[in-house]
Amino acid sequence: MNETARIPPRSAVGFELAAGQRLTVIDAEGTQVADLLAYARNDVREVVSNGRTFDYEETIRLTTGNRLWSNRSNVMLEIEADTVGCHDFLLTPCSADTFRHFYPDKPVHRGCFGNLAEALAPWGIEADAIPVAFNCFMNVPVGEDGKLSVLPPPSGPGDSITLRAEVDLVIGLTACSAYDSNGGSFKPIDYRIG
Amino acid sequence: MNETARIPPRSAVGFELAAGQRLTVIDAEGTQVADLLAYARNDVREVVSNGRTFDYEETIRLTTGNRLWSNRSNVMLEIEADTVGCHDFLLTPCSADTFRHFYPDKPVHRGCFGNLAEALAPWGIEADAIPVAFNCFMNVPVGEDGKLSVLPPPSGPGDSITLRAEVDLVIGLTACSAYDSNGGSFKPIDYRIG
């Protein structure tokens, strides 16, 4: 597939990405977040790990040239292009629990977490096996005192990040459901495999 | 048990901690790191999560009053006392792979990761289920550009952190095996349950 596909607002998709293939995640309308998960196709107990990535890349600010590592210390994806340079790998996918906690006056949504659990179920991946996702375009500055803020993404319409698979993968990808991470708007996310 | 137990250098222990009990981790000789993991006793698929903790505590610098949350958005432990105020929740336990990567000229050790896997096996916890640990006393500053450094712990002999269990837990706890995290020295860690 080389055409662009669309993830509707507040939903997710699951698909396979073969070693050597590239995934481009596109913020079609701007100011939107896409949570990205990756599992090894031949054993889904191997999964992308923020901690192992921080270990080996020695930074929490990942962009072109950085790699996303698994819990078994293997490279899963390499960032080949990035027009934004702002992504988060600290926070977990929004969920019914995070909606209750952060937005007590708003309707509860199953969030990216629930959407990913459904999208990944066909590969036997359970909700408990969903770790911190690589949150494309998400803007989470860390203060000098360690305090975290969630600000609107700096991405504009058409901004993108391209990652190349090092091994055969199962990918989960969302158009984010939370209020804070996308500046209060719910928008689609586009993606392309090539 | 109210007496103090000792974890020998470069090893780990596993034990149960009942809801309401307190665990005090003591840096007996100073400048040493202890990796701490927590699993729900009644279902070990529930495990401490750095991402969920960062979500709800809204900081990466955790100390007295902060809580450690699980992947199911439940509080597992609350930090009740802390004489150091410097701990890491970004990096994964050192392992044979990290030894090969960071210390190619030194003997490979199974590290805290291998030690934890063995210590937790009696509860049916597999190596793949070991996430980022809460690394007591570990000193990992984050630069303005996101770059991570691993510096010697600021803890002196007898410094400690006390955590209270909110639910029945299985705990894994190490005396760290890596060179960088403890300033090149391998020392024991003491702990007390009360």
Side-chain angles (χ1 to χ4, degrees):
Chain A
M1 151 181 149
N2 264 310
E3 64 221 59
T4 299
R6 173 151 290 195
I7 307 172
R10 304 186 104 179
S11 70
V13 292
F15 53 86
E16 297 188 10
L17 189 71
Q21 281 190 311
R22 288 170 179 80
L23 167 65
T24 298
V25 182
I26 304 154
D27 187 357
E29 300 180 5
T31 321
Q32 174 59 308
V33 165
D35 290 11
L36 171 68
L37 287 176
Y39 299 79
R41 177 68 191 89
N42 67 358
D43 184 349
V44 295
R45 291 175 303 180
E46 183 169 9
V47 59
V48 73
S49 161
N50 67 343
R52 288 279 177 229
T53 300
F54 297 154
D55 279 340
Y56 295 120
E57 299 300 310
E58 303 183 44
T59 180
I60 60 171
R61 297 283 166 229
L62 302 154
T63 185
T64 307
N66 288 123
R67 296 156 298 173
L68 307 188
W69 295 71
S70 78
N71 58 335
R72 294 185 189 168
S73 289
N74 296 313
V75 175
M76 303 194 102
L77 291 157
E78 176 165 343
I79 303 174
E80 285 200 335
D82 179 7
T83 70
V84 180
C86 174
H87 314 285
D88 169 65
F89 211 4
L90 296 171
L91 302 181
T92 48
C94 59
S95 69
D97 292 308
T98 66
F99 272 85
R100 285 186 205 102
H101 183 94
F102 290 109
Y103 316 111
D105 299 331
K106 295 200 166 70
V108 172
H109 190 275
R110 67 179 183 174
C112 287
F113 187 83
N115 288 331
L116 286 163
E118 180 176 305
L120 295 167
W123 289 274
I125 296 163
E126 298 189 336
D128 283 327
I130 294 178
V132 174
F134 180 72
N135 303 307
C136 305
F137 319 127
M138 189 168 181
N139 188 3
V140 182
V142 180
E144 271 187 46
D145 55 0
K147 291 264 186 312
L148 299 172
S149 343
V150 178
L151 302 180
S155 43
D159 267 327
S160 67
I161 181 171
T162 299
L163 307 101
R164 186 170 55 82
E166 287 291 315
V167 291
D168 292 345
L169 297 173
V170 175
I171 298 287
L173 188 65
T174 78
C176 185
S177 307
Y179 296 88
D180 283 351
S181 62
N182 51 38
S185 66
F186 306 119
K187 296 173 176 172
I189 284 287
D190 288 353
Y191 67 101
R192 194 168 54 237
I193 298 171
Chain B
M1 148 180 151
N2 264 310
E3 64 221 58
T4 299
R6 173 152 290 193
I7 307 172
R10 305 186 103 179
S11 71
V13 292
F15 54 86
E16 297 188 11
L17 189 70
Q21 282 191 310
R22 289 170 178 80
L23 167 65
T24 298
V25 182
I26 304 155
D27 187 357
E29 299 180 4
T31 321
Q32 174 60 307
V33 165
D35 289 11
L36 170 67
L37 287 177
Y39 298 79
R41 177 67 190 91
N42 67 357
D43 184 349
V44 295
R45 291 174 303 179
E46 182 168 10
V47 59
V48 73
S49 161
N50 67 343
R52 287 280 176 228
T53 300
F54 297 154
D55 279 341
Y56 295 120
E57 300 299 310
E58 302 182 44
T59 180
I60 61 170
R61 297 283 168 228
L62 302 154
T63 185
T64 307
N66 288 123
R67 297 156 299 172
L68 307 188
W69 295 71
S70 78
N71 58 335
R72 294 185 188 168
S73 288
N74 296 314
V75 175
M76 302 194 102
L77 290 156
E78 176 165 343
I79 303 174
E80 285 200 334
D82 179 6
T83 69
V84 180
C86 175
H87 314 284
D88 169 65
F89 210 6
L90 295 170
L91 302 181
T92 48
C94 59
S95 68
D97 291 308
T98 66
F99 272 86
R100 285 186 205 102
H101 183 94
F102 290 109
Y103 316 110
D105 299 331
K106 295 198 166 73
V108 171
H109 190 276
R110 66 179 183 174
C112 287
F113 187 83
N115 289 332
L116 286 164
E118 180 176 306
L120 294 167
W123 288 273
I125 296 162
E126 298 189 335
D128 283 327
I130 294 178
V132 174
F134 180 72
N135 302 308
C136 305
F137 318 127
M138 190 169 181
N139 188 3
V140 183
V142 181
E144 271 185 45
D145 56 359
K147 291 264 187 309
L148 299 173
S149 342
V150 178
L151 302 181
S155 43
D159 267 328
S160 67
I161 181 171
T162 299
L163 307 101
R164 186 170 54 83
E166 287 291 314
V167 292
D168 292 345
L169 297 173
V170 175
I171 297 287
L173 188 66
T174 79
C176 184
S177 306
Y179 295 88
D180 284 351
S181 61
N182 51 38
S185 67
F186 305 119
K187 295 173 177 171
I189 284 286
D190 288 352
Y191 67 102
R192 193 169 52 236
I193 297 172

